[in-house]
Amino acid sequence: MINRRDLIKYSLLGAATAPLAGLGAPASAEGTKVAIAEALRLGMYNSLYVAADKGLFAKHGLAADLSTAGGIALPVPILLSGRGQIGVTSPGMSVNAVREGGKIKNIAKIVGGVSMWGIAKPDSKIKTIDDLRGKTIATLKFPSSTIQVPTFAIKTVGKFHPKEAGVTFLELPPGAQAAAVKDGRADIATAFEWDVSIAAEQFGLVPVLSFADVLGPLCFTTAMATEETIASSPAAVQGFCNAIAEAQKLMHENNAVFTEVAEKYFPKVTPSVVANATKNFFGSKTAIPRNPTISADEWDRAMQLEQGGGAVQSVLSYAQMVDNRFAEQATRQFGLA
């Protein structure tokens, strides 16, 4: 699986900010009540937190209750049971639900690329996927997206097989990847934020590969809703997409908005780590989307990634799984082109 469950199990982020329900801004007294269930509390979901913190949900007519489900698969049953209206998780979870008879559409892009980095010493010569030939990569233990994403990138972008090219995956317990690079046991490590910036602060490592940029734009994380919710509450769905579009615009026009809000939502992550992570997120061309629309190409790339890692057994089409109307209107009115 392109295995974001590893983030809950292994990520320093998860350890620092345990996924508890009800951590979002409280719902306002006025507006249409909308329960939003995010899979995990993650820095790359900051579009949600900016929309909540800056009052954008309320501005667009919603009394939003943002809570953390505690796992990648958990927002979908919340939607199907009627306990929530919007879910935020891997698009593969929506595909699996539809395969089992659920009726769900993806309505907005929350994360626009695989927000994983390769980190190495500042004098590293690794700059491209091809440079990974003959190198040792420190990762979490299999199964982990820290192995599966670089393997996928090597095969699809580099066009070579890792084992045949002498690539070695050094599988280590949580927290040991950066140390392995520092002491020379590995040439590079693969990690998500906030782990990347913690490695910079504690071990002097720097990001040398952005897998978001290597693999190109895709809908790594989406907002989704049931067809019933879309049909019965289109104004609420539109309000959600409006708020996300405006939040993403705010962050791209002023990256300090990301930093300010992330510090509030991740109080146990040091400000210096958040500040460094901000540079990494916006240094990547795709990690934080410019707008919430989902293109057919982004969907197809996401499905290749999900299927390649085993998250889905077979893919479903963009036409069947994506309702882009609300995100497109939100982008025209409130977002960035």
Side-chain angles (χ1 to χ4, degrees), residues 1-5 7 13 36-49 66-69 71-76 79 86-95 104-116 145 149 192-193 212 215-225 240-241 244 248 281 286-295 298-303 305-306 311 321-322 324 327:
M1 182 178 180
I2 295 301
N3 196 345
R4 280 167 272 187
R5 68 185 178 188
L7 293 181
L13 165 61
I36 304 166
E38 60 176 358
L40 304 169
R41 183 117 320 185
L42 298 171
M44 60 187 174
Y45 289 5
N46 217 38
S47 298
L48 295 172
Y49 316 141
L66 173 61
S67 63
T68 305
I72 295 302
L74 296 180
V76 168
L79 299 186
I86 306 290
V88 175
T89 188
S90 156
M93 299 302 100
S94 68
V95 170
I104 289 179
K105 298 284 190 183
N106 294 268
I107 59 169
K109 181 171 73 242
I110 303 299
V111 183
V114 182
S115 297
M116 178 187 292
S145 49
V149 167
F192 291 92
E193 285 290 8
L215 294 175
L218 54 85
C219 48
F220 191 55
T221 303
T222 58
M224 56 194 69
F240 173 84
C241 290
I244 295 300
Q248 291 171 349
F281 274 120
T286 61
I288 303 297
R290 288 177 59 82
N291 64 65
T293 60
I294 302 170
S295 72
E298 288 171 326
W299 179 261
D300 290 344
R301 288 193 193 98
M303 290 297 99
L305 189 63
E306 299 274 23
M321 294 302 304
V322 177
N324 211 32

Side-chain angles (χ1 to χ4, degrees), residues 99-180:
R99 287 284 186 200
E100 295 173 4
K103 295 183 178 181
I104 289 179
K105 298 284 190 183
N106 294 268
I107 59 169
K109 181 171 73 242
I110 303 299
V111 183
V114 182
S115 297
M116 178 187 292
W117 284 263
I119 52 176
K121 294 178 181 177
D123 61 355
S124 172
K125 304 301 182 184
I126 299 173
K127 304 297 179 185
T128 69
I129 292 296
D130 199 62
D131 295 333
L132 295 176
R133 293 175 183 270
K135 299 298 191 294
T136 297
I137 305 174
T139 68
L140 296 169
K141 293 184 178 181
F142 186 87
S144 168
S145 49
T146 58
I147 298 172
Q148 292 162 331
V149 167
T151 298
F152 182 82
I154 286 168
K155 290 180 177 179
T156 59
V157 177
K159 306 296 185 184
F160 60 93
H161 192 283
K163 188 174 182 179
E164 293 173 358
V167 177
T168 301
F169 292 104
L170 179 61
E171 300 178 36
L172 298 169
Q177 290 70 36

Side-chain angles (χ1 to χ4, degrees), residues 199-222:
E201 189 168 275
Q202 295 184 356
F203 296 97
L205 305 186
V206 297
V208 295
L209 276 177
S210 165
F211 286 95
D213 295 340
V214 167
L215 294 175
L218 54 85
C219 48
F220 191 55
T221 303
T222 58

Side-chain angles (χ1 to χ4, degrees), residues 199-324:
E201 189 168 275
Q202 295 184 356
F203 296 97
L205 305 186
V206 297
V208 295
L209 276 177
S210 165
F211 286 95
D213 295 340
V214 167
L215 294 175
L218 54 85
C219 48
F220 191 55
T221 303
T222 58
M224 56 194 69
T226 64
E227 293 181 11
E228 180 181 359
T229 293
I230 293 170
S232 63
S233 305
V237 174
Q238 188 63 65
F240 173 84
C241 290
N242 291 350
I244 295 300
E246 195 165 354
Q248 291 171 349
K249 180 180 180 180
L250 279 176
M251 288 188 289
H252 277 279
E253 289 182 337
N254 182 4
N255 297 168
V257 173
F258 178 101
T259 309
E260 173 198 342
V261 173
E263 287 179 354
K264 294 179 182 178
Y265 276 73
F266 300 92
K268 293 185 180 179
V269 179
T270 63
S272 58
V273 165
V274 174
N276 191 70
T278 301
K279 292 185 289 185
N280 291 337
F281 274 120
F282 291 95
S284 163
K285 297 179 180 68
T286 61
I288 303 297
R290 288 177 59 82
N291 64 65
T293 60
I294 302 170
S295 72
D297 284 345
E298 288 171 326
W299 179 261
D300 290 344
R301 288 193 193 98
M303 290 297 99
Q304 290 171 9
L305 189 63
E306 299 274 23
Q307 187 175 35
V312 299
Q313 294 300 310
S314 59
V315 303
L316 293 177
S317 71
Y318 175 84
Q320 181 176 354
M321 294 302 304
V322 177
D323 187 340
N324 211 32

